Amino acid sequence: MKKTKKIPKKVIQEDIPKKFHFFQNSLELNEKILDIPVIYFFVILIFTLLLSTAILLLTYFNLLDAFKPWFLSHFDVLNFTRYPRGSADIGIVFASLVAVAGLAIIHPIFGICGITLIRCWLDGYTYPTDNTYFVWAIILVSLSYIIRTFIQKGKIRFDIHTITLFLFVVFLTLLLPVSWQIGKSYRHLILWASYALLFLSAYGSIKTTSQKNILTWTILLTLGLQTWYAFYHFQYVLPFLRKSLLMDPALRIKFFGTTELSKELIYRFNINRAFGTMLFPNALGGFIILLLPIAIYWSIYHVYMFYNEWQNPNKEPIQKKEERGVLIQTAIIWFLSTIIIYATELFPLTYTFEENSNIDVYLTAGFAAIMSLIPSGLFAWICIKKGYKAGKYFIFSIIFSLCSFFSLLSLWLTYSRGSWLSLFLSIFLLFTLFIYFRYFDIQRKRILQSVIFLFIVGFCLLYVSQLTNMAFAENTHQGITNKQSSSNEKNTYDNSGDRNKAAEEIMESGVGVSWEHLSDPSSFRLRWSYWKVGLIMWFHNFFTGVGLGNFALAYPHYQYIGAGDVKECHNGYLQILCETGILGGIFFLFFILTILHKIAQCVKENRNYYSIVWSIGILAFLIHAGLDIHFSHPSLVTYFIIGLAIFLNETQTVKTDSEISPTQKIKPFPLTIITSLACCILLIASFFPYTRDLVRSRMSFLNVGKDTEVPLVLKSINYVFTDVLNFALNKTDKQARMSATILKYFFVDLNKLRMFGNLYVPEGQGSNKARPLPEGNPVPDNAVLLVKEPWLLINRIRNSSINYAEYLKQVDNIFPYQEDIPNYLTEINKLLFLYSSPETDLEIVNNSRKEMLYWANEAIRRSPHNGDLYYNYGKALWFAGAKDCNNPEEQNSYIKLAIDNFERCALIWKNVPFYWDEYIAHMKDAIGFFEKNNLPEEIEKTREKIAKASQYVSELKEKRAQLNIW
């Protein structure tokens, strides 16, 4: 048998010319893109368009709305008609999923392009349940890739990168039972499983350069649109939003649930920083630095190519057969330019408090149409004068130059020091590697490697020793400026000038970020405190962590005085170790190391400078992830995965059969079955938490899981049982008023409100004056009830509250692993228990006491490390023992158990005086019960606890005062 001679790498490298060629690639679509017949392509595309259009038409005629009450009726038989009528959200969601599915059937790359274009417009952090749509879209794309690969008898690409990422997800699944809060970890696990499938599909679907270029085009266009929006959002939307919040208290209630805003929130609104739809300026910065090097690369490339074409004297004039194509492209350029210019002009036209007529809109559209003649006319003239290629490079250079311009501008307006630092550090490191591999001999390399190794080891030892130092001396340093409000909120402003003013009231113009802000090290000091707490958290949960997504839950257990309050570690790698321990973290870190190794290998062996440019963005993103929350931000992780897939495909080299790893020789059928099964399991697993949040939000398909209804219902019940009750008892002359917007959650038919009093409606839109609602007119949502029959209303609300609690139980049964609904059920039953009399409502009193205690305890069972839940359970036990409890033994049991729970809460929130004060106050009150029930031993024990707790909280307040924490 003839042996196959293995070609050494030197032979491959000899074929590469020694002349420096920076531009070795292009974004041309010259190769075959589709792997299906063209007729199938058009059939699938037309069917997808028709189906999506049909869904949107059904939505337009409100025919899809019938699904909402039908589905809700399975959970709320009394009030299932309460849903957002006429909303287009259901049609948008279904049509988008159908479009992605159709594109994925044509080719998985097109499905990924659809996800790329949409992903950034839903940040995924504000309303996490919305991420489920992208999980489903990724599943559809993955199934298309898996089935297509099997039919074509190809091989699913499994290499070291894919294997380590999937092993990470497997270990996350194994660690789920030991999570501090299983429900939250379950949701995060679904996301990471979808990231793994997205990487598998994107990495494996790219078979040709044209497919890779299509995905590159899409992701760079997304960058351009996002940064374009971020700039105009910064310029026009933010001032408009500030003024709206300042003028309209109803708007503050709608978005924040209160007219009073915290100083931290006011400060964030006032500081002028761009963030687009990414929610956080640093998140936008991370997105930009990932893709900015590529955008700049292609800008320079197309300007260079346009210059060459323009200077070429041998260009033939455009042929007659090409004239029609140029004409069509000119029309397309004019149309797209008109849309972009018109959308840009709409920002100053829309976000103003001045009234604009239709003429203004028409004039704006006409101006946009005229202005768009410039790029389209130049394209046509250049094509005629210098040839089609010159015109094409001209348009491409404009597109990528604008993309780079808005990216640089938006990156500057984020004022994200970490983003700029990460980008420059990435360039410096790669340049150093470039010099190291090409100009250092073996002996010098060994010396440099030894120096670098010693430096890294010394830095790590110093880092660990500093993080584990818990001395208060460092925290009392004069430079620490993190002020906290009475609710223990952190603020990164001081008492001087504009920064103090920025925290007091919302200002339309905002506060510009000055050099003083940029040079202020308080932000880094806060991060330093997060990292120290995070390291302690990891050491205490070294092997299994606290559970994916539970960093915020565990943080108070390890927080020391002076460490800022935070929900994320602001160091993605440390947070992964905190949440998954060394068992899960080692696979994630190894996945990152494989990427870093590929980057180093790319610099060392590959003269493909385009892949080195990709390396700059990937490395900058990974560096910045060590300073912020990138791995907790769904949009950022999605774009990182897609960019990584493009980069790894760019660095691929052709291998002989002897060089193919054993994992790539596995037969495709078992892998097809396993990955298809994983997709199906993920689809089913994602359905339960999504359905729970969808029902809870009354079938709101966008912003799923928004938590506005239940708090509003609780406030309304409390209002009825206090203000309306006081009016009924003649304790106040102020006649109670209630809005039909609130009462609609308690009444299926609002017309029944007439029996409780008089109804009024506003005289006109925006009017503060009201007029009586005529008899026989249907009651609108904006009606106001002036209560005249308070006792009748109180009894009706009491019964409706019981029914509402039953509805919440049905919702909770869908996914019974989170503590929020048990908390709400506790509060509803607490109000029923406190404001019901045993003489008239004995059954309600007994049942509500039982339900109150059960659900408070159930919330703790689901999240046993949440200090607030122990406080709530302590309150429930206290009320159960203090109100209408005639059995002394039972009363003592309730009171003692309540004190124990207050103590556990205070120990968890060990740095917050409020909980200690509550603990001490309840112990003082408990002495009265113990004296009445003749328990001298308990009295003595309680007094000792009061003395110890009082001394602790006194010292705590003193330390907080020294650190300027109030």
Side-chain angles (χ1 to χ4, degrees):
M1 183 176 177
K2 188 176 180 180
K3 294 184 179 178
T4 304
K5 186 176 180 181
K6 187 175 179 181
I7 302 175
K9 293 181 180 178
K10 288 184 178 180
V11 177
I12 298 176
Q13 292 180 353
E14 285 175 0
D15 295 332
I16 300 175
K18 294 182 179 180
K19 185 180 179 181
F20 181 87
H21 289 288
F22 186 74
F23 300 116
Q24 297 171 329
N25 304 75
S26 70
L27 286 178
E28 302 288 340
L29 305 179
N30 298 325
E31 300 179 16
K32 184 178 179 181
I33 301 174
L34 301 174
D35 51 7
I36 58 174
V38 178
I39 185 65
Y40 291 166
F41 164 75
F42 283 108
V43 169
I44 296 170
L45 184 61
I46 292 172
F47 179 77
T48 302
L49 290 174
L50 290 175
L51 187 56
S52 299
T53 304
I55 291 172
L56 293 176
L57 286 174
L58 290 173
T59 306
Y60 178 78
F61 292 109
N62 295 328
L63 296 178
L64 278 183
D65 270 6
F67 171 78
K68 295 181 178 180
W70 172 82
F71 195 75
L72 276 175
S73 64
H74 292 76
F75 305 95
D76 186 8
V77 295
L78 295 177
N79 210 15
F80 64 88
T81 57
R82 301 301 174 199
Y83 62 92
R85 299 176 186 272
S87 175
D89 54 358
I90 185 172
I92 293 172
V93 168
F94 284 0
S96 299
L97 288 173
V98 167
V100 171
L103 291 172
I105 292 172
I106 294 173
H107 196 281
I109 286 297
F110 290 105
I112 296 171
C113 289
I115 294 172
T116 302
L117 288 170
I118 301 172
R119 173 70 269 193
C120 66
W121 306 105
L122 285 174
D123 61 86
Y125 198 89
T126 309
Y127 298 104
T129 313
D130 287 359
N131 295 314
T132 309
Y133 300 131
F134 295 99
V135 172
W136 292 344
I138 290 169
I139 290 172
L140 293 172
V141 171
S142 301
L143 287 173
S144 172
Y145 163 66
I146 293 163
I147 295 172
R148 178 186 299 268
T149 303
F150 179 74
I151 292 174
Q152 295 176 349
K153 298 180 179 179
K155 294 180 180 179
I156 298 176
R157 181 177 290 178
F158 267 90
D159 60 7
I160 189 65
H161 311 288
T162 314
I163 292 172
T164 50
L165 186 56
F166 270 87
L167 283 175
F168 175 63
V169 174
V170 169
F171 266 84
L172 292 181
T173 308
L174 297 176
L175 292 171
L176 189 60
V178 297
S179 170
W180 282 28
Q181 212 295 304
I182 293 177
K184 184 168 287 188
S185 297
Y186 182 96
R187 291 172 180 266
H188 282 76
L189 173 61
I190 288 172
L191 277 180
W192 276 102
S194 70
Y195 299 152
L197 286 175
L198 177 63
F199 180 71
L200 176 73
S201 305
Y203 189 31
S205 296
I206 300 175
K207 298 291 197 318
T208 65
T209 303
S210 294
Q211 292 168 356
K212 178 176 60 185
N213 289 345
I214 287 176
L215 193 52
T216 304
W217 265 103
T218 306
I219 199 169
L220 290 179
L221 287 176
T222 305
L223 171 69
L225 291 173
Q226 176 61 217
T227 52
W228 165 83
Y229 173 77
F231 171 72
Y232 287 103
H233 179 272
F234 170 87
Q235 196 72 22
Y236 297 104
V237 182
L238 282 180
F240 179 82
L241 178 61
R242 293 190 192 106
K243 193 168 183 178
S244 300
L245 290 172
L246 193 64
M247 295 172 58
D248 190 358
L251 198 63
R252 298 199 290 270
I253 293 175
K254 179 179 178 181
F255 288 104
F256 306 107
T258 177
T259 58
E260 300 295 329
L261 300 179
S262 66
K263 289 187 176 182
E264 174 66 15
L265 193 58
I266 293 173
Y267 178 76
R268 287 184 179 275
F269 268 118
N270 280 334
I271 291 298
N272 285 322
R273 297 181 68 185
F275 54 86
T277 63
M278 291 289 182
L279 192 63
F280 305 111
N282 289 337
L284 178 62
F287 173 66
I288 293 174
I289 63 175
L290 174 66
L291 302 173
L292 178 61
I294 309 302
I296 293 176
Y297 176 90
W298 288 120
S299 299
I300 298 173
Y301 170 82
H302 287 102
V303 170
Y304 175 75
M305 296 302 293
F306 172 66
Y307 176 79
N308 284 347
E309 290 293 326
W310 185 271
Q311 294 295 326
N312 191 346
N314 300 322
K315 279 294 175 187
E316 297 181 1
I318 189 172
Q319 302 295 323
K320 286 188 176 181
K321 61 180 181 180
E322 296 177 336
E323 290 179 356
R324 182 178 298 177
V326 170
L327 184 63
I328 294 173
Q329 292 179 47
T330 302
I332 293 173
I333 292 169
W334 174 84
F335 179 71
L336 294 177
S337 300
T338 301
I339 292 175
I340 294 174
I341 296 172
Y342 179 60
T344 301
E345 292 175 328
L346 283 180
F347 276 96
L349 194 66
T350 304
Y351 295 103
T352 176
F353 288 93
E354 299 177 2
E355 293 186 2
N356 297 293
S357 64
N358 292 333
I359 297 177
D360 297 322
V361 178
Y362 298 146
L363 288 175
T364 302
F367 180 76
I370 294 172
M371 289 296 296
S372 61
L373 291 173
I374 297 175
S376 58
L378 283 174
F379 168 75
W381 179 79
I382 292 171
C383 287
I384 295 172
K385 185 76 175 176
K386 292 293 182 178
Y388 172 70
K389 279 190 175 181
K392 178 183 66 175
Y393 289 135
F394 167 73
I395 288 297
F396 287 174
S397 63
I398 289 179
I399 292 173
F400 288 112
S401 296
L402 286 175
C403 178
S404 301
F405 169 75
F406 279 111
S407 298
L408 286 168
L409 185 61
S410 297
L411 183 61
W412 170 251
L413 292 177
T414 62
Y415 297 105
S416 174
R417 294 165 292 181
S419 299
W420 285 103
L421 177 65
S422 301
L423 185 60
F424 290 141
L425 186 58
S426 174
I427 296 172
F428 172 75
L429 290 175
L430 290 178
F431 179 76
T432 304
L433 277 178
F434 186 88
I435 299 298
Y436 170 76
F437 285 129
R438 279 161 174 72
Y439 300 107
F440 273 57
D441 55 27
I442 296 177
Q443 186 176 0
R444 290 179 179 177
K445 285 181 179 179
R446 288 176 179 174
I447 296 173
L448 185 60
Q449 288 171 357
S450 301
V451 172
I452 292 174
F453 176 76
L454 292 174
F455 174 79
I456 292 174
V457 170
F459 177 80
C460 291
L461 291 175
L462 179 63
Y463 182 76
V464 172
S465 64
Q466 288 294 323
L467 285 178
T468 53
N469 180 16
M470 295 295 296
F472 283 104
E474 180 179 340
N475 301 305
T476 55
H477 191 274
Q478 188 177 359
I480 293 181
T481 59
N482 55 309
K483 307 286 179 71
Q484 296 182 336
S485 66
S486 58
S487 60
N488 205 32
E489 298 174 22
K490 71 176 186 305
N491 294 305
T492 56
Y493 48 86
D494 58 28
N495 289 326
S496 61
D498 290 337
R499 282 198 268 180
N500 183 56
K501 189 177 179 182
E504 296 299 331
E505 60 179 357
I506 295 177
M507 296 176 288
E508 180 184 356
S509 60
V511 175
V513 179
S514 62
W515 175 250
E516 183 184 0
H517 290 86
L518 295 176
S519 60
D520 185 7
S522 60
S523 176
F524 177 76
R525 291 195 183 102
L526 280 173
R527 278 178 166 79
W528 186 256
S529 68
Y530 308 155
W531 300 343
K532 287 200 288 185
V533 175
L535 195 65
I536 297 166
M537 185 190 303
W538 175 38
F539 285 165
H540 280 79
N541 305 272
F542 186 77
F543 291 103
T544 60
V546 298
L548 198 63
N550 289 329
F551 180 86
L553 175 64
Y555 189 81
H557 291 257
Y558 307 100
Q559 184 181 9
Y560 58 88
I561 300 178
D565 295 333
V566 74
K567 293 182 178 180
E568 306 282 354
C569 187
H570 288 268
N571 183 320
Y573 310 105
L574 182 56
Q575 183 161 335
I576 289 290
L577 290 171
C578 291
E579 295 180 348
T580 66
I582 195 65
L583 296 178
I586 194 170
F587 287 100
F588 180 79
L589 295 178
F590 189 73
F591 172 68
I592 300 298
L593 287 175
T594 62
I595 300 171
L596 297 177
H597 178 264
K598 179 62 72 173
I599 291 173
Q601 189 179 35
C602 172
V603 176
K604 180 181 180 181
E605 299 179 356
N606 203 335
R607 291 203 176 184
N608 183 349
Y609 296 103
Y610 176 53
S611 63
I612 296 178
V613 175
W614 261 113
S615 300
I616 294 173
I618 297 290
L619 184 58
F621 184 91
L622 293 176
I623 293 172
H624 197 208
L627 300 171
D628 226 282
I629 64 169
H630 292 359
F631 297 129
S632 299
H633 198 291
S635 292
L636 289 183
V637 179
T638 300
Y639 288 114
F640 172 69
I641 291 293
I642 294 172
L644 179 62
I646 298 174
F647 164 69
L648 292 177
N649 274 282
E650 190 65 42
T651 60
Q652 290 298 312
T653 54
V654 179
K655 297 182 179 181
T656 62
D657 291 338
S658 60
E659 293 178 307
I660 297 176
S661 64
T663 56
Q664 293 173 310
K665 293 182 178 181
I666 299 175
K667 294 182 179 180
F669 184 73
L671 283 179
T672 302
I673 296 297
I674 293 172
T675 49
S676 300
L677 186 62
C679 290
C680 295
I681 292 173
L682 182 60
L683 180 63
I684 296 170
S686 63
F687 179 77
F688 296 103
Y690 170 80
T691 305
R692 171 191 185 270
D693 290 350
L694 182 66
V695 174
R696 182 179 165 188
S697 64
R698 297 282 177 176
M699 307 301 290
S700 177
F701 281 82
L702 292 176
N703 300 338
V704 185
K706 58 182 179 182
D707 194 11
T708 55
E709 177 182 315
V710 184
L712 191 61
V713 167
L714 285 172
K715 288 181 180 180
S716 306
I717 297 173
N718 186 68
Y719 177 81
V720 170
F721 287 154
T722 52
D723 292 55
V724 178
L725 181 61
N726 287 334
F727 176 71
L729 294 173
N730 297 321
K731 292 183 178 180
T732 178
D733 295 332
K734 185 178 180 181
Q735 196 168 3
R737 300 179 181 183
M738 296 195 72
S739 170
T741 305
I742 294 172
L743 290 170
K744 68 182 182 180
Y745 297 113
F746 301 97
F747 294 90
V748 177
D749 185 6
L750 289 179
N751 294 310
K752 293 183 179 180
L753 295 178
R754 297 181 187 276
M755 69 176 69
F756 304 108
N758 298 330
L759 290 167
Y760 295 84
V761 292
E763 286 188 352
Q765 187 176 4
S767 174
N768 293 325
K769 297 182 179 180
R771 58 179 176 82
L773 181 67
E775 289 289 336
N777 285 18
V779 179
D781 284 357
N782 64 345
V784 176
L785 172 66
L786 192 65
V787 180
K788 284 193 172 182
E789 299 292 338
W791 288 111
L792 191 61
L793 179 63
I794 291 169
N795 290 329
R796 180 57 186 269
I797 295 297
R798 181 181 285 112
N799 293 328
S800 297
S801 300
I802 295 172
N803 294 329
Y804 194 85
E806 292 299 320
Y807 153 69
L808 287 181
K809 290 180 187 177
Q810 294 291 326
V811 178
D812 184 68
N813 285 334
I814 303 173
F815 184 71
Y817 299 103
Q818 290 186 254
E819 75 282 3
D820 50 351
I821 292 182
N823 245 341
Y824 291 139
L825 287 167
T826 302
E827 291 302 314
I828 291 175
N829 284 285
K830 184 191 296 180
L831 292 171
L832 288 170
F833 173 69
L834 290 176
Y835 296 103
S836 298
S837 172
E839 287 78 14
T840 57
D841 303 297
L842 180 60
E843 185 178 355
I844 292 178
V845 170
N846 291 334
N847 287 337
S848 58
R849 177 196 280 117
K850 179 182 176 182
E851 290 286 301
M852 173 182 67
L853 295 175
Y854 170 78
W855 286 108
N857 187 51
E858 174 66 13
I860 290 178
R861 187 190 67 81
R862 297 183 185 183
S863 185
H865 300 276
N866 191 328
D868 290 335
L869 299 183
Y870 288 100
Y871 178 80
N872 294 340
Y873 189 34
K875 279 287 187 182
L877 289 164
W878 183 269
F879 290 135
K883 180 181 181 295
D884 300 325
C885 186
N886 299 320
N887 187 329
E889 292 184 2
E890 187 178 2
Q891 187 179 63
N892 293 333
S893 176
Y894 282 139
I895 296 299
K896 286 192 287 186
L897 194 55
I899 295 299
D900 290 341
N901 279 274
F902 286 130
E903 183 180 13
R904 293 194 66 176
C905 169
L907 290 173
I908 292 174
W909 292 102
K910 55 185 179 296
N911 299 321
V912 183
F914 168 78
Y915 293 105
W916 286 96
D917 290 336
E918 284 285 293
Y919 172 47
I920 293 170
H922 281 89
M923 283 194 293
K924 290 179 179 179
D925 292 338
I927 291 177
F929 289 100
F930 295 149
E931 288 176 346
K932 184 181 71 172
N933 296 327
N934 194 21
L935 294 173
E937 294 182 359
E938 290 296 331
I939 295 173
E940 188 64 28
K941 290 180 182 178
T942 304
R943 285 175 176 167
E944 291 178 1
K945 288 182 178 180
I946 291 173
K948 291 180 180 179
S950 298
Q951 182 181 358
Y952 175 84
V953 76
S954 177
E955 294 174 355
L956 175 64
K957 290 178 179 179
E958 184 179 348
K959 291 174 182 177
R960 290 168 64 89
Q962 292 174 359
L963 295 171
N964 291 323
I965 303 171
W966 308 104

